[in-house]
Amino acid sequence: MFLRRWLREFTEFFFQKGNALNLAIAVVVGTQFQQIVNAISKDLLMPLLNPLVRGGNWQNLVIPYYGGDLAIGKIFDVILNSLIVGWALFFIIKAINRSQRTLESGMSTFKESANAKQGNPGD
């Protein structure tokens, strides 16, 4: 009974008109965004930082540790990519919030002017 209800709810969710399509679009956009971040990191920022590393290559930076190596360069690369993604998302969300505030203030101004024209003070 529980499994049947869960399966019915899942099929309703998955096959609703927007959910699967929205998920597919989000995956494609996320993949493209990650490729952009990787290109900025690997092709732009890392070459600028490579002269600061003794070996000359940031990604190959390792620390020898009991017969193995700790790949610090790869960790730094992931951290840098995460910071770039976080920075970009911060500005995207900030722009979205600003546009929503502008839209809301514009709508309230529009409602006030419409009410004033009709002679209704406030609503």
Side-chain angles (χ1 to χ4, degrees):
M1 183 70 175
F2 172 75
L3 182 62
R4 202 158 114 183
R5 185 182 67 197
W6 180 82
L7 187 59
R8 186 185 73 240
E9 289 175 1
F10 175 74
T11 54
E12 287 172 2
F13 162 77
F14 190 75
F15 293 110
Q16 277 182 346
K17 189 164 90 175
N19 292 335
L21 181 62
N22 289 343
L23 180 61
I25 291 170
V27 167
V28 170
V29 170
T31 303
Q32 293 301 323
F33 189 67
Q34 185 60 44
Q35 288 178 355
I36 292 168
V37 168
N38 284 340
I40 290 171
S41 174
K42 288 178 177 45
D43 299 332
L44 181 67
L45 295 178
M46 288 301 176
L48 294 173
L49 296 175
N50 281 340
L52 302 176
V53 178
R54 186 172 42 156
N57 191 349
W58 184 269
Q59 292 226 330
N60 293 334
L61 184 63
V62 294
I63 295 176
Y65 181 76
Y66 291 112
D69 292 329
L70 300 175
I72 309 199
K74 292 179 183 177
I75 293 170
F76 286 147
D77 187 44
V78 169
I79 290 171
L80 183 63
N81 283 349
S82 299
L83 289 174
I84 292 170
V85 169
W87 179 75
L89 289 177
F90 170 74
F91 284 109
I92 290 170
I93 297 299
K94 192 172 179 172
I96 290 170
N97 289 341
R98 183 181 302 133
S99 67
Q100 286 177 344
R101 282 193 307 266
T102 304
L103 180 64
E104 288 171 2
S105 68
M107 288 301 290
S108 65
T109 304
F110 176 74
K111 285 179 182 178
E112 289 171 5
S113 66
N115 287 336
K117 287 180 182 178
Q118 292 177 352
N120 297 336
D123 201 315

